[in-house]
Amino acid sequence: MTYCVSINVENGFVACSDSRTNAGFDDVSVYRKMHTFVWPGNRVFALMSAGNLATTQLVTRKLNADVKSGALPNLLSVSSMQEAADYIAAVNMNIQNLHVVREAGNTSFEASFILAGQIAGSRHETLMIYPQGNFIHESDEHPFLQIGETKYGKPILDRVVNRQTFLERAGRCALVSMNSTIRSNLTVGPPIDLLIYEKDSLDFPRQMSLAEDDPFSKQIAEAWNEGLIRALQNLPKFYWESLDNAPQQPSANSDQSY
Amino acid sequence: MTYCVSINVENGFVACSDSRTNAGFDDVSVYRKMHTFVWPGNRVFALMSAGNLATTQLVTRKLNADVKSGALPNLLSVSSMQEAADYIAAVNMNIQNLHVVREAGNTSFEASFILAGQIAGSRHETLMIYPQGNFIHESDEHPFLQIGETKYGKPILDRVVNRQTFLERAGRCALVSMNSTIRSNLTVGPPIDLLIYEKDSLDFPRQMSLAEDDPFSKQIAEAWNEGLIRALQNLPKFYWESLDNAPQQPSANSDQSY
């Protein structure tokens, strides 16, 4: 399984992906699911993938090969993010179909992608490409996109993210969303790739790869836990809980076993 | 779809369920999924159900009928929570099989249950009954049980609930878990049934049914949103965000659009 999320805010976009790939419980590996394609001053793309690993690897190889060989279209020739998504979708479909023809088993060769990027002269955008070749665009009402194991990490995004969220805060929010997913689903795991792109920079974005024991990653998780416990403590009381006779729960640090 | 959750803590248990039933997008109804069976001083059961509505309704009808007719076993005759779960599982299997025989279509007649309760002389317990007739027990490491649309509401439970959590706080936590699910999945909806049982009371538990516009429900949702935003604000900063030159995000109330 996989979890990838992008958040597109006014000041730029963030992309975050896990690195666990499993073909059964006894065949777990680490593969990065985030790939960047950068031509400084001209265009920046970040591509995250979920689904069949062989398909996604072939897709990124083909994208690189097309740029090298000059085959049209390619990531350097497309004039808009939509065109880029169209092109990647077509590559994805071709590769999926190749395998479906060869082998008619139960294996799914499907892959889906999140494409985030900016082309000089246009605004930064994020799109989600389905295995069927169609795609959707982020919107003001829904600035984040998710692929893979999306449910555990969605409530936090639903509640706190909007277009005006500051870029770095969106980055922290993506980390929290990822952390919630990793806690709840064993097939999503570190290292976590985080990318933060400031709009109009048109250069290599900030990128960090957070290993399981990364101190920053741990600090984020601990601070988030504490924040949630505090949020729970501050919820309104039930009508029958009077301050006089209700027992007082000890403070955040003492009443939790972790 | 459905979402039901129980949390079993030292001081008692809470049970929380939504009330939306849908057989397609154009056939949405309100049905309570929580049923209580109380014999004051003797035993208290709360039963929550997910799955085929006809099956779950027949199961609760049969449970009531068996008590009335004195057919053995019944909820009043069982001597332990495990026996109660065994009995309910058998009733469930019989009813499911009845329909499978009659009709071999694609319809699923499956239903799953969470049983929470206490029998005089034993401790309060919660169990989850699968459609296949087997069941699992809550544990010190995993004091909560979920059925239905479980993923959206799980991260908060994973992080803040343990055996030592105070009963009323566990109740608020269940409401937050439910609220997160309702926000993310249209097929889970109010009114929300919340039940809070204090251990050894062996009497009717506190119960509330929170409609969509219930003021307490709204207060909980708003306070939770504020708490999450505050938690996000208090996360550690990235190494490049110095306090001198980083832009300051406005306070919790002004930077969010809701």
Side-chain angles (χ1 to χ4, degrees), chain B residues 66-219:
Chain B
D66 282 354
V67 170
K68 241 183 186 164
S69 71
L72 294 176
N74 64 49
L75 286 180
L76 198 46
S77 79
V78 293
S79 63
S80 69
M81 289 297 294
Q82 275 76 6
E83 242 181 77
D86 252 335
Y87 159 60
I88 295 168
V91 170
N92 187 25
M93 297 279 284
N94 286 342
I95 288 166
Q96 286 176 185
N97 290 336
L98 200 68
H99 293 287
V100 170
V101 172
R102 274 197 212 154
E103 208 183 306
N106 272 327
T107 313
S108 167
F109 299 103
E110 292 194 340
S112 49
F113 296 87
I114 291 176
L115 174 69
Q118 184 173 25
I119 296 176
S122 307
R123 76 175 193 86
H124 58 289
E125 296 174 59
T126 51
L127 300 111
M128 184 170 114
I129 305 167
Y130 292 100
Q132 290 75 22
N134 50 356
F135 51 84
I136 59 170
H137 200 281
E138 106 283 339
S139 70
D140 283 351
E141 296 74 30
H142 202 280
F144 64 88
L145 297 171
Q146 302 172 291
I147 51 176
E149 177 61 276
T150 61
K151 291 187 178 182
Y152 298 114
K154 187 164 180 283
I156 175 66
L157 300 170
D158 274 334
R159 288 183 200 261
V160 304
V161 166
N162 62 34
R163 282 284 204 225
Q164 284 71 49
T165 304
F166 272 22
L167 188 56
E168 269 81 9
R169 185 176 289 180
R172 283 186 280 277
C173 193
L175 283 182
V176 165
S177 175
M178 177 62 72
N179 188 270
S180 297
T181 310
I182 287 176
R183 269 188 88 117
S184 292
N185 188 323
L186 274 183
T187 68
V188 177
I192 300 167
D193 283 315
L194 179 70
L195 175 155
I196 300 188
Y197 174 79
E198 206 176 316
K199 75 165 175 182
D200 302 334
S201 64
L202 290 171
D203 207 339
F204 288 92
R206 288 186 191 279
Q207 279 190 269
M208 44 208 305
S209 176
L210 304 168
E212 187 145 21
D213 56 353
D214 182 90
F216 182 68
S217 213
K218 277 189 177 168
Q219 281 168 26

Side-chain angles (χ1 to χ4, degrees), chain A residues 86-97:
Chain A
D86 252 335
Y87 159 60
I88 295 168
V91 170
N92 186 26
M93 297 277 285
N94 286 342
I95 288 166
Q96 287 175 185
N97 291 336

Side-chain angles (χ1 to χ4, degrees), chain B residues 34-62:
Chain B
M34 188 188 292
H35 296 86
T36 49
F37 307 83
V38 182
W39 289 270
N42 182 334
R43 59 191 60 203
V44 172
F45 298 111
L47 189 68
M48 296 189 289
S49 54
N52 185 291
L53 181 64
T55 300
T56 62
Q57 288 193 347
L58 258 184
V59 168
T60 49
R61 230 171 75 187
K62 172 81 173 144

Side-chain angles (χ1 to χ4, degrees), chain A residues 97-173:
Chain A
N97 291 336
L98 201 68
H99 293 286
V100 170
V101 172
R102 275 197 212 154
E103 207 183 309
N106 272 328
T107 313
S108 167
F109 299 104
E110 292 194 341
S112 48
F113 296 87
I114 291 176
L115 175 68
Q118 184 173 25
I119 296 176
S122 308
R123 76 174 194 87
H124 58 290
E125 295 173 62
T126 52
L127 300 110
M128 184 171 116
I129 304 167
Y130 292 99
Q132 291 75 21
N134 50 355
F135 51 85
I136 59 171
H137 200 282
E138 106 282 340
S139 71
D140 283 350
E141 297 73 30
H142 202 281
F144 64 88
L145 298 172
Q146 302 172 291
I147 52 175
E149 177 61 275
T150 60
K151 291 187 179 183
Y152 298 114
K154 186 164 181 282
I156 175 66
L157 301 169
D158 274 334
R159 288 184 200 261
V160 303
V161 166
N162 62 34
R163 282 284 204 227
Q164 284 72 49
T165 304
F166 272 22
L167 188 56
E168 270 81 9
R169 184 175 290 180
R172 284 186 279 277
C173 193

